Amino acid sequence: MEDYNKIIESLGVRFIKARHIRMQQAIRIKNFYDIENSLLILYDGEVSFGEDGIRAEPGDMLFIPGGKALSITYGSSENPKSISNEEFLTFRERYFDSRRDPAEIGKIPHSFGLVAFEAKVFDSVNFFTSLDVPPFLIKGEESLTHALKEILAEDFRDEAGRGRIIKIKTEEIVINIIRYILKHRLFVEQLATNSTYFKDPRLIDIFTYIKDNIGGDLSNKVLANVANVSEDYVGQYFKMLTGINPQDYIEYQRMEAAVNLLRTSKKSIRAIGAEVGYKDTAYFCRRFKMMFGIPAGKMRRRESLMNL
């Protein structure tokens, strides 16, 4: 337990967004994907996920770790409209009606609440993604239900201390998700295997260097010098501890940084690609769409519409 306490203490948690959604029609998104962790609570209606169509009951929460693609159905699973992630993101308002009245939370037919957040160890590594845990249901956790509702209500108001309360409650959500995993002994093998690499200082040095130099030279030769291991060994060393090769990890970090820039800046697609390490804009755009199922330009327009 001491190891998990150290990891929790090292976590940097950041609130991304909160939504209260009324589902307007039944849809199945075949390849839903986002970089953010999200916690969804079903208030009324139907939500199911995965190839086996695991169904949430009203009051259940669905946790989706960032970077995990999955099939998800909103509304009745009997005859939903099947769409791609790109179509969903492009025409989101056709399927979802976003509500912002705190008094309506949990009282609208066919509705759910959602909070999206970032949780990074040493401000570098996506914690839940690194553990390779799949999406899963959380049942009977009143503290999580209450914290999620408070975040939704605070985000919909404009009152003093709003940001501070949301920050505290988002950290509370992350801790309670970890507690739920440990309490119910979920993903025991993944936790035992993957959490150990947070103890390796050389690996943490690599994570930190990648974060601080995301647009620069991140070849295996450079990483080998950072970790003080041989160039021939650094790829094997990184994969042995994390389960992925370093260049795949770097690409994910670069794409995550690109998404953040699309959301927070007015820089051109070319400038964003270059800033995160892609000299060839066309290649950057191809890789972006391959990872997220939507062109970078559409991602920006989607975020602009969502923040109106």
Side-chain angles (χ1 to χ4, degrees), residues 251-293:
E251 179 166 55
Y252 181 85
Q253 295 301 309
R254 283 176 163 159
M255 290 301 177
E256 184 182 73
V259 170
N260 288 332
L261 287 169
L262 285 166
R263 290 171 171 167
T264 60
S265 78
K266 296 183 178 179
K267 295 178 180 179
S268 68
I269 303 297
R270 180 185 296 274
I272 288 173
E275 187 166 333
V276 299
Y278 292 88
K279 296 179 182 179
D280 185 333
T281 304
Y283 179 72
F284 164 68
C285 290
R286 286 197 303 273
R287 296 300 299 173
F288 190 97
K289 184 172 182 181
M290 185 176 294
M291 180 169 288
F292 298 113

Side-chain angles (χ1 to χ4, degrees), residues 34 159 185 212:
D34 210 333
E159 296 185 2
R185 295 188 58 79
D212 293 341

Side-chain angles (χ1 to χ4, degrees), residues 184-199:
H184 293 273
R185 295 188 58 79
L186 302 177
F187 324 118
V188 173
E189 186 175 340
Q190 292 100 311
L191 287 170
T193 302
N194 296 323
S195 63
T196 55
Y197 68 71
F198 292 124
K199 304 172 190 175

Side-chain angles (χ1 to χ4, degrees), residues 44-277:
D44 182 73
E46 295 182 30
V47 169
S48 56
F49 68 99
E51 296 304 316
D52 298 329
I54 301 170
R55 184 172 169 177
E57 301 294 333
D60 290 350
M61 286 166 280
L62 169 60
F63 176 60
I64 306 174
K68 289 290 182 182
L70 80 158
S71 170
I72 186 165
T73 301
Y74 296 100
S76 174
S77 58
E78 290 185 7
N79 191 29
K81 178 181 178 183
S82 185
I83 61 175
S84 67
N85 198 44
E86 180 175 358
E87 183 178 350
F88 169 68
L89 296 177
T90 304
F91 302 109
R92 185 187 184 97
E93 66 279 2
R94 294 181 182 177
Y95 312 115
F96 285 177
D97 176 25
S98 186
R99 315 296 285 254
R100 294 194 62 82
D101 183 352
E104 292 183 339
I105 297 172
K107 300 178 181 179
I108 301 294
H110 307 290
S111 68
F112 64 88
L114 179 143
V115 170
F117 57 90
E118 181 182 89
K120 290 189 172 182
V121 181
F122 306 112
D123 200 29
S124 301
V125 186
N126 289 294
F127 176 67
F128 294 106
T129 305
S130 72
L131 295 180
D132 196 31
V133 300
F136 64 93
L137 287 178
I138 297 175
K139 295 175 176 285
E141 290 294 316
E142 291 299 321
S143 57
L144 263 176
T145 300
H146 184 68
L148 199 152
K149 185 175 181 179
E150 282 197 271
I151 291 173
L152 288 168
E154 284 292 333
D155 192 52
F156 299 162
R157 302 188 188 108
D158 186 18
E159 296 185 2
R162 165 181 169 271
R164 185 67 178 271
I165 288 177
I166 289 175
K167 181 178 185 297
I168 292 169
K169 290 297 176 181
T170 305
E171 290 180 341
E172 184 180 325
I173 279 178
V174 172
I175 292 170
N176 278 321
I177 291 172
I178 295 171
R179 284 181 173 179
Y180 186 88
I181 290 172
L182 295 173
K183 175 183 172 183
H184 293 273
R185 295 188 58 79
L186 302 177
F187 324 118
V188 173
E189 186 175 340
Q190 292 100 311
L191 287 170
T193 302
N194 296 323
S195 63
T196 55
Y197 68 71
F198 292 124
K199 304 172 190 175
D200 192 309
R202 294 178 299 176
L203 191 61
I204 299 306
D205 286 345
I206 291 178
F207 287 144
T208 303
Y209 186 87
I210 290 170
K211 174 181 176 290
D212 293 341
N213 298 275
I214 198 67
D217 181 3
L218 295 175
S219 63
N220 281 6
K221 181 177 181 180
V222 170
L223 300 184
N225 288 334
V226 171
N228 196 27
V229 297
S230 72
E231 183 179 351
D232 292 337
Y233 177 65
V234 70
Q236 178 184 342
Y237 162 76
F238 191 96
K239 187 168 184 177
M240 177 178 65
L241 293 176
T242 67
I244 60 173
N245 70 60
Q247 296 308 314
D248 286 344
Y249 173 81
I250 289 165
E251 179 166 55
Y252 181 85
Q253 295 301 309
R254 283 176 163 159
M255 290 301 177
E256 184 182 73
V259 170
N260 288 332
L261 287 169
L262 285 166
R263 290 171 171 167
T264 60
S265 78
K266 296 183 178 179
K267 295 178 180 179
S268 68
I269 303 297
R270 180 185 296 274
I272 288 173
E275 187 166 333
V276 299

